[in-house]
Amino acid sequence: ANIETPSGEKKTLAVQRKAGNTYLIDLKSKLLNYVGLYTIRITDPVSKKISEASVYLREPFSWYMKMARDNAYTKKPIISGSAESSYGFYAAFLARKYFPDSTKDQFLENLFNQKIGLAFDLKQGRPLPDVSPKRVQNITTTIGILTDLWEATKDTTYLSDAAKLGDYIASPEIQKEDGSYRSGNTHYTAVIYPAKSMLELATAEKQLAKDNNCWQQRYIRHSESANKAIKDLLVRRDNIETEGDLTFEDGMISCSALQLGLGGLQKQDKSERKSYTDVAAYMMDKHICLEQELIPDARMRGATLRYWEALDLYFVPNQIMNSPHGWTAWKIYADYYLYLLTGDEKYLRDFMDTLGSCIQLIDKTGELRWGFVPDPYMKAQLFVQEAPGSIKGKKLDTVVGEQYLPMITSWFRPADENKIVRFGDQGGSGDNTVYEIFKALEECALNKAYVICKNDGSLLTWNCTAKKENGIIKIAPAESVINNIHFNADQPYKVQIKSAKGNINVNAKKGLQWIGINGSVTSY
């Protein structure tokens, strides 16, 4: 067996043959000593057949969060007729919470404030009438961005603006009697995740609601709206029929499942929580047909298979399979919530595998790419920059295959950035969708570690290390930004957590719980 390093160097691997055709390869040595993709090949001595797999040695998660913000700084997000163009603001404001950079943060906040009025009347809490006023995800994505900007700055103006838009979403114009959010007659609750965005808003409002009736009423109104929408998804299951072609569509299923999972976590009644969990699991079991669950290629492991998002403009033929792509992150949320609900290891492994493939969209230099093309060979016309310094593009005859495609926002800009643009317009690209990955990273993994204590006494860890010594499980988080450890225990344990302030000793219970770096233990 041998391993090929990211630089192309080949090294011999020690192999231990187990029962049948199973081989054990030890990768804990110094063979993996710098960031990049490593390819492993092993030849069966009898059949001479060659098996191949790959692993990716990544940077710490915090590095990817910072690089996502840096890419938003250099590839300025665009407020347009589609939410897809503004997603870079998510990465900008989420990174600011943990890794403030006054120059970049202020620039991006100012840019958002300068441009948001192109699409929204924030005083009235409505999209402008000529900018897709019923395109639900435009409004709820803006709610999410404003909520994150409030979290980063604590300026309540931003949360008030988000609350006004939340009232519009909860109004009969958008939310119908069955609870669904609709664009006209078309069901839109599972296009991106409007109910999740409303719950993010409500969670922020709840922090201000204790001694303030206005915020209390907003919290009640928006949380009730979100839960009504999710209950409608519970009834519909996979019979949704939303925008686009009437197919078993990746996002329709994963966005429904993730909102059902999040809705289940809101429920205190065990039987009610179970009903939401069961339907979310049912949806994700069916969704496997759209996932790269078996592929032994670390660039794509766990990613979703999408045939859209090239947006006519970027690639000819006008669509192409992409895996991973920014919308792959919807699956990460669904797996994350299902793990919190069930404690089933498969969901944790799956969401971490998927996140591991997604973050590779940032290369080792820090450059963010739009997506990965899994097809091995495709003749096409690729949309590229017309000339150095130009904001226009041209179509280039080329062949692509098993490669990353770059973002185009850095050069493909509107001729007048003070006017609204749409898909197909000059500057109307949707490549900012890739930033959904880093929104998921922040929520699910950036400041969190995971430990599973198995019945055989072994420990499984993500984003930390753990070992048993004298009956105590000692956990060392991988980064200082980690402030919560999810502990999945088969029995009560004494736990010691290494932190910057010294060792923290806690008594963990049997079952699922969060252990804070401050020593708190929260079962749920």
Side-chain angles (χ1 to χ4, degrees), residues 300-313:
M300 295 177 271
R301 180 77 172 184
T304 54
L305 290 159
R306 296 186 67 81
Y307 191 65
W308 296 101
E309 318 310 337
L311 304 177
D312 301 339
L313 179 74

Side-chain angles (χ1 to χ4, degrees), residues 112 116 119-128 133 135-147 157-171 173-175 181 194 197-198 201 205 218 221-222 225:
F112 178 80
I116 191 64
F120 292 92
D121 180 344
L122 293 178
K123 288 185 179 179
Q124 298 297 318
R126 298 176 67 92
L128 294 176
R135 195 170 191 263
V136 177
Q137 70 268 42
N138 285 4
I139 307 155
T140 53
T141 295
T142 305
I143 288 171
I145 291 170
L146 283 163
T147 301
T157 302
Y158 295 125
L159 198 59
S160 293
D161 289 340
K164 291 175 187 176
L165 292 174
D167 286 345
Y168 176 65
I169 290 294
S171 75
E173 287 187 65
I174 301 297
Q175 188 164 32
Y181 298 127
S197 295
M198 290 286 277
L201 170 62
E205 291 169 333
R218 285 170 166 171
R221 191 159 59 245
H222 299 145
S225 171

